[in-house]
Amino acid sequence: MLVPVMTAGRTLLDKRLRPLRDVRLSVTDRCNFRCGYCMPADLFGPDFAFLPRAELLTFEEIAIVARELVALGARTLRITGGEPLARRNVERLVALLRALDDHESLGGASLDLALTTNGSLLAKAAGPLRAAGLDRLHAVWAKKDGECSKVKVNGGISLERGCCNLFERESRYTTKFSCGTCEYQEKK
């Protein structure tokens, strides 16, 4: 594990003295799936107590933290979770982060804004996220046999095909798909 340290020059460095440029911003601990590698049933059973919503940072508070991280050298901000699209109006956060492009430390460059998702809620979210300024989507899902094409979503189409169709329509996105072989358990 790399432990960040700060130098006198206000640049955030990791333990190996490399600048920290990529930052993950987790916006929720909740997810609509129960994949074994991320939320194993023995830990996240029916009685698991997620953070009360009132204890989550507001989007404005996350943007304040992000602004300070940009001042310290962050150039890629990746929105994660749990499942970040499970948090209502996450496109508001994207817009707040996109507004950080004006930060003096960027010298006129734009931040790289990305979001990692399981893809199941993208049908409604992709357009608003794009309009708010999201640059990249990373769709990640897992199936016990590693065959992502068998993960079915609304209408019976595969999650993989649905994401491909969506991303083809939203051509501005740079996309990455990952399919891991793991113990997969659907949410009941």
Side-chain angles (χ1 to χ4, degrees):
M1 179 173 159
L2 300 178
V3 179
V5 296
M6 187 147 16
T7 67
R10 288 205 29 100
T11 299
L12 202 57
L13 303 175
D14 67 20
K15 193 174 181 178
R16 296 185 181 133
L17 302 179
R18 298 173 298 191
L20 286 179
R21 301 282 183 219
D22 299 354
V23 176
R24 292 176 179 259
L25 303 170
S26 179
V27 297
T28 184
D29 59 344
R30 297 169 192 266
C31 186
N32 54 337
F33 287 177
R34 291 294 180 267
C35 302
Y37 67 96
C38 185
M39 299 185 91
D42 57 330
L43 295 176
F44 296 92
D47 296 327
F48 182 80
F50 289 97
L51 281 174
R53 284 175 169 66
E55 290 187 24
L56 295 175
L57 292 178
T58 66
F59 292 147
E60 292 75 14
E61 291 168 331
I62 294 170
I64 289 168
V65 171
R67 183 182 66 224
E68 294 306 313
L69 291 167
V70 168
L72 294 171
R75 296 299 177 259
T76 297
L77 302 177
R78 178 180 303 279
I79 301 167
T80 66
E83 169 52 44
L85 299 181
R87 178 123 180 222
R88 287 188 185 102
N89 304 312
V90 74
E91 67 276 3
R92 277 189 35 238
L93 175 60
V94 172
L96 290 169
L97 297 176
R98 180 52 62 207
L100 297 176
D101 282 347
D102 293 335
H103 198 284
E104 63 188 45
S105 69
L106 292 172
S110 294
L111 286 169
D112 176 26
L113 298 182
L115 183 137
T116 299
T117 177
N118 63 33
S120 66
L121 302 172
L122 273 174
K124 290 183 181 179
L129 287 168
R130 178 181 176 196
L134 189 69
D135 295 312
R136 295 184 297 123
L137 287 166
H138 181 191
V140 182
W141 55 90
K143 188 73 174 154
K144 187 174 184 178
D145 58 10
E147 295 183 36
C148 296
S149 60
K150 294 183 179 178
V151 179
K152 301 296 182 187
V153 293
N154 293 345
I157 64 167
S158 74
L159 181 58
E160 180 179 37
R161 183 69 251 154
C163 284
C164 289
N165 290 343
L166 178 65
F167 295 140
E168 288 167 7
R169 288 197 315 263
E170 301 291 342
S171 60
R172 177 175 172 227
Y173 286 129
T174 299
T175 60
K176 178 178 178 183
F177 297 93
S178 298
C179 181
T181 301
C182 72
E183 294 299 317
Y184 178 84
Q185 177 183 5
E186 292 185 27
K187 182 179 177 184
K188 295 179 181 177

